[in-house]
């Protein structure tokens, strides 16, 4: 099976195919940021990328498939985690990376468009979930290292801590016109670090982990 026939995002094409993919994904991101998912048109993307419409239709087929490939590429291109040697330092680095991304005019608008599309389009939602899984998996080891150093209690859910860092930043992006600055990122990191140290993200024990308490029948006779 050739790369042109594979599902979008499942191969790492080289040469001209790689250049075409890069140009199309860049054009798709620009179109999403400018006009939103509802107006994403493959013919317009082809024109922006200066490639043939047939190529775009044959390779991606639908706007949702194109967005799925765009998100896969964004996950692959995202910067690796920063390790500072402390829980707060690592979470602050993560928060500032998210803040810079969302504060960027193009990237912020792009994420708004994709999130809006994911609300009502299942394939886009799946692609968005995969994107965040990749990014959370990348940063979760920082939290586990903090647990190993004794900065957070055993059983801390590293993935939940990383999600807690990003959550207030995305909330501000989607619900407010207030700027996303480094101060907001630092507050998010500090809140997540404080909660993690206090045990707020320790995984709940399963029912099977608790001892069995047998019911006792009391003799109520006088």
């Amino acid at each position: 099976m050739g790369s042109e026939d594979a599902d979008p995002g499942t191969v790492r094409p080289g040469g001209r195919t790689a250049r075409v993919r890069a140009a199309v994904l860049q054009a798709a991101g620009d179109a999403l940021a400018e006009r939103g998912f509802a107006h994403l048109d493959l013919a317009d993307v082809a024109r922006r990328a200066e490639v043939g419409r047939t190529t775009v239709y044959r390779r991606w087929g639908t706007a949702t498939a194109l967005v799925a490939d765009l998100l896969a590429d964004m996950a692959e291109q995202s910067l690796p985690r920063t390790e500072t040697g402390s829980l707060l330092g690592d979470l602050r680095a993560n928060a500032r990376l998210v803040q810079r991304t969302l504060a960027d005019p193009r990237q912020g608008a792009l994420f708004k468009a994709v999130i809006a599309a994911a609300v009502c389009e299942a394939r886009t939602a799946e692609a968005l979930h995969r994107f965040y899984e990749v990014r959370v998996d990348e940063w979760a080891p920082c939290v586990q290292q903090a647990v190993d150093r004794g900065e957070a209690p055993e059983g801390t859910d590293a993935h939940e801590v990383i999600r807690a860092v990003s959550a207030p930043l995305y909330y501000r992006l989607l619900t407010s016109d207030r700027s996303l600055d480094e101060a907001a990122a630092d507050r998010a990191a500090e809140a997540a670090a404080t909660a993690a140290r206090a045990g707020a993200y320790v995984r709940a024990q399963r029912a099977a982990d608790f001892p069995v308490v047998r019911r006792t029948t009391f003799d109520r006779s006088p």
Side-chain angles (χ1 to χ4, degrees), residues 70-113:
L70 174 62
L71 286 166
D73 183 69
M74 289 168 60
E76 293 170 5
Q77 301 301 325
S78 294
L79 293 175
R81 66 179 176 271
T82 299
E83 297 181 1
T84 67
S86 73
L87 176 63
L88 179 57
D90 291 351
L91 296 186
R92 183 181 289 126
N94 175 259
R96 288 188 177 184
L97 176 59
V98 173
Q99 175 264 324
R100 288 195 300 272
T101 300
L102 299 184
D104 179 83
R106 179 184 182 273
Q107 291 296 93
L110 173 57
F111 273 102
K112 283 183 178 180

Side-chain angles (χ1 to χ4, degrees), residues 26-213:
Q26 175 68 33
D30 291 343
L32 277 169
E34 292 172 18
R35 307 187 65 195
F37 180 80
H39 299 287
L40 184 63
D41 177 72
L42 296 188
D44 177 56
V45 170
R47 179 187 60 78
R48 290 171 182 257
E50 299 182 345
V51 302
R53 286 189 295 178
T54 302
T55 298
V56 176
Y57 279 99
R58 182 177 65 247
R59 174 160 185 148
W60 287 277
T62 65
T64 52
L66 181 55
V67 172
D69 197 18
L70 174 62
L71 286 166
D73 183 69
M74 289 168 60
E76 293 170 5
Q77 301 301 325
S78 294
L79 293 175
R81 66 179 176 271
T82 299
E83 297 181 1
T84 67
S86 73
L87 176 63
L88 179 57
D90 291 351
L91 296 186
R92 183 181 289 126
N94 175 259
R96 288 188 177 184
L97 176 59
V98 173
Q99 175 264 324
R100 288 195 300 272
T101 300
L102 299 184
D104 179 83
R106 179 184 182 273
Q107 291 296 93
L110 173 57
F111 273 102
K112 283 183 178 180
V114 173
I115 291 169
V119 172
C120 55
E121 212 293 312
R123 186 168 181 181
T124 304
E126 291 172 4
L128 189 62
H129 295 163
R130 286 196 298 272
F131 170 84
Y132 287 120
E133 284 174 2
V134 170
R135 296 310 298 152
V136 172
D137 285 346
E138 171 67 22
W139 282 85
C142 290
V143 180
Q144 185 55 52
Q145 290 165 9
V147 172
D148 296 340
R149 292 192 299 265
E151 288 190 75
E154 290 290 338
T156 295
D157 189 328
H159 290 72
E160 283 302 302
V161 175
I162 298 301
R163 293 185 187 102
V165 173
S166 298
L169 303 178
Y170 276 93
Y171 184 83
R172 178 176 288 195
L173 173 74
L174 297 172
T175 67
S176 171
D177 59 359
R178 297 171 62 191
S179 63
L180 266 172
D181 53 18
E182 284 193 350
D186 290 349
R187 283 194 300 272
E190 289 162 9
T194 299
R197 293 192 197 103
Y201 298 106
V202 173
R203 298 180 187 88
Q205 286 184 291
R206 300 172 302 169
D209 296 330
F210 290 94
V212 176
V213 178

